[in-house]
């Protein structure tokens, strides 16, 4: 069973080498590695990719115009030959028995296998993942995946048939991974769980984009949330599910953030989606205020009230 690991990279030669070494150290064979250079602008990253591809027959290298991590992963997905697909960011790493353990856990009814993830800070210290729910065995991704993306990009191993059915990655640059996995969740795939650490996520001084609150990032997050909601509905989740009501409050929160950032269209769409799930007085009151005074004024007022509280 050939496992293809897809590694998008942009200006990260040193981190790429560490990530790549973790794949080459896998106890399972056969493997292939597709490195996708997402338009790196430095000289070190293309040189490192060329050297690594020349040294290992299992490595293939692609280069594309910069399009963000989702677009780069999609280029790798289209080029993959494996029966199973592993996505790995260039700043993370896999533990040596990841493929061996996850493949052994899979039965014919399982579409995805996952395990535990270790989090490492910029100084090399292990972090307790207080921002995520405890990792436990689950049979399916929905409904809980609507509340949290409770795994990280390197954690799951997908059957190729699942990634084919899920379709292409979007060109979103923030929360593109949550949106992609929500599409996988909508397929109703069954999960296999390995109760061991299988991957590491490393923090570093460059930071990550997922928590960004710039107008550009908020625009991506708004689109991602709209798509995630559509996937949840397609996956059979009803409006009265507790997870849908919680997601409605997340939509409302994001609508206020978009309003404060001047993203009027995004704020209106998110507010309408929130109201469509759950009719709440605060959503109605905010919507009325925004209609009278504008989304930016309403968002800034809400932001000031949150600080005051």
């Amino acid at each position: 069973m050939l496992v293809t690991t897809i590694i998008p990279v942009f200006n990260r030669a040193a981190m790429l080498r560490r990530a790549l070494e973790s794949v080459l150290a896998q106890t399972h064979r056969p493997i292939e590695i597709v490195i996708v250079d997402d338009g790196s602008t430095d000289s070190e990253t293309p040189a490192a990719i060329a050297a690594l591809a020349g040294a290992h027959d299992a490595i293939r290298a692609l280069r594309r115009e910069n399009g963000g991590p989702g677009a780069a992963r999609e280029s790798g997905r289209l080029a993959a030959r494996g029966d199973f697909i592993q996505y790995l960011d260039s700043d993370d790493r896999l533990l040596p028995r990841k493929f061996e353990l996850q493949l052994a856990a899979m039965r014919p009814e399982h579409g995805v296998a996952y395990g535990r993830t270790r989090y490492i800070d910029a100084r090399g210290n292990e972090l307790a993942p207080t921002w995520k729910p405890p990792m436990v065995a689950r049979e399916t991704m929905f409904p809980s995946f609507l509340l949290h993306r409770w795994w990280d990009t390197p954690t799951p191993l997908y059957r190729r048939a699942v990634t084919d059915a899920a379709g292409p990655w979007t060109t979103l640059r923030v929360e593109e991974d949550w949106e992609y996995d929500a599409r996988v969740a909508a397929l109703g795939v069954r999960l296999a769980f390995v109760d061991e650490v299988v991957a590491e996520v490393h923090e570093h001084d460059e930071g990550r984009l997922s928590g960004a609150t710039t107008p550009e990032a908020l625009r991506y997050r708004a689109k991602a949330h709209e798509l995630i909601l559509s996937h949840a509905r397609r996956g059979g989740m009803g409006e009265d599910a507790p997870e849908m009501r919680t997601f409605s409050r997340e939509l409302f929160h994001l609508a206020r953030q978009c309003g404060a950032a001047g993203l009027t269209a995004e704020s209106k769409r998110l507010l309408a989606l929130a109201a469509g799930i759950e009719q709440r007085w605060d959503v109605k009151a905010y919507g009325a205020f925004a209609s009278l005074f504008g989304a930016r004024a309403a968002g800034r007022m809400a932001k000031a009230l949150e600080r005051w509280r």
Side-chain angles (χ1 to χ4, degrees):
M1 295 179 289
L2 177 64
V3 178
T4 299
T5 300
I6 298 165
I7 308 177
V9 62
F10 177 78
N11 292 358
R12 283 180 177 168
M15 292 182 187
L16 172 64
R17 292 187 187 95
R18 182 184 64 190
L20 189 65
E21 287 169 1
S22 77
V23 185
L24 293 171
Q26 291 296 303
T27 55
H28 172 81
R29 287 295 186 275
I31 62 171
E32 76 165 353
I33 302 167
V34 179
I35 303 173
V36 184
D37 184 349
D38 190 31
S40 292
T41 56
D42 65 349
S43 58
E44 291 84 1
T45 301
I49 293 172
L52 291 164
H56 301 279
D57 292 338
I59 298 174
R60 288 187 291 139
L62 307 175
R63 182 175 171 87
R64 53 163 293 130
E65 292 183 5
N66 182 262
R73 293 185 193 114
E74 179 60 15
S75 293
R77 187 187 73 87
L78 293 174
R81 301 167 181 157
D83 307 296
F84 293 85
I85 302 296
Q86 169 72 56
Y87 296 110
L88 177 62
D89 290 344
S90 58
D91 45 1
D92 299 328
R93 63 184 293 271
L94 310 179
L95 270 65
R97 298 184 65 205
K98 184 183 197 293
F99 297 165
E100 174 193 343
L101 292 171
Q102 290 181 310
L103 289 171
M106 275 198 175
R107 299 294 178 265
E109 66 271 20
H110 296 140
V112 182
Y114 69 104
R116 299 188 182 277
T117 305
R118 181 184 297 135
Y119 300 89
I120 308 295
D121 69 15
R123 296 182 299 276
N125 301 314
E126 185 172 352
L127 296 169
T130 55
W131 60 92
K132 287 182 180 283
M135 189 67 78
V136 296
R138 305 175 193 266
E139 291 188 1
T140 59
M141 297 163 71
F142 280 152
S144 59
F145 226 79
L146 190 58
L147 302 181
H148 306 276
R149 185 175 183 255
W150 36 258
W151 63 38
D152 290 87
T153 299
T155 313
L157 180 68
Y158 306 83
R159 285 192 189 276
R160 176 61 178 269
V162 168
T163 60
D164 286 347
W169 286 78
T170 68
T171 55
L172 296 170
R173 290 177 181 255
V174 178
E175 294 184 345
E176 81 293 335
D177 43 12
W178 190 10
E179 185 278 328
Y180 180 83
D181 278 329
R183 267 189 284 136
V184 173
L187 298 173
V189 298
R190 313 298 289 183
L191 304 177
F193 177 60
V194 173
D195 194 11
E196 293 193 35
V197 176
V198 296
E200 286 183 350
V201 169
H202 288 253
E203 298 298 330
H204 46 81
D205 293 337
E206 295 178 32
R208 293 175 183 263
L209 292 175
S210 57
T213 55
T214 64
E216 182 184 23
L218 287 170
R219 189 175 287 110
Y220 284 126
R221 291 187 63 211
K223 183 60 177 177
H225 274 63
E226 292 179 56
L227 291 171
I228 289 165
L229 177 60
S230 71
H231 302 328
R233 285 171 169 159
R234 184 161 51 87
M237 290 191 62
E239 307 295 303
D240 58 345
E243 294 83 3
M244 286 287 271
R245 292 178 179 272
T246 300
F247 194 70
S248 170
R249 291 189 283 274
E250 170 65 17
L251 291 170
F252 181 35
H253 177 70
L254 186 55
R256 300 196 303 269
Q257 288 184 308
C258 287
L263 303 176
T264 301
E266 287 80 2
S267 182
K268 286 182 177 179
R269 288 200 304 270
L270 293 170
L271 196 64
L273 291 173
I277 297 171
E278 186 178 17
Q279 292 292 324
R280 293 167 42 207
W281 72 267
D282 53 348
V283 175
K284 292 179 180 178
Y286 180 87
F289 188 93
S291 295
L292 287 172
F293 301 102
R296 185 188 289 271
R300 288 180 172 176
M301 178 197 70
K303 194 173 182 180
L305 287 173
E306 286 175 3
R307 284 202 208 99
W308 182 76
R309 287 175 187 170

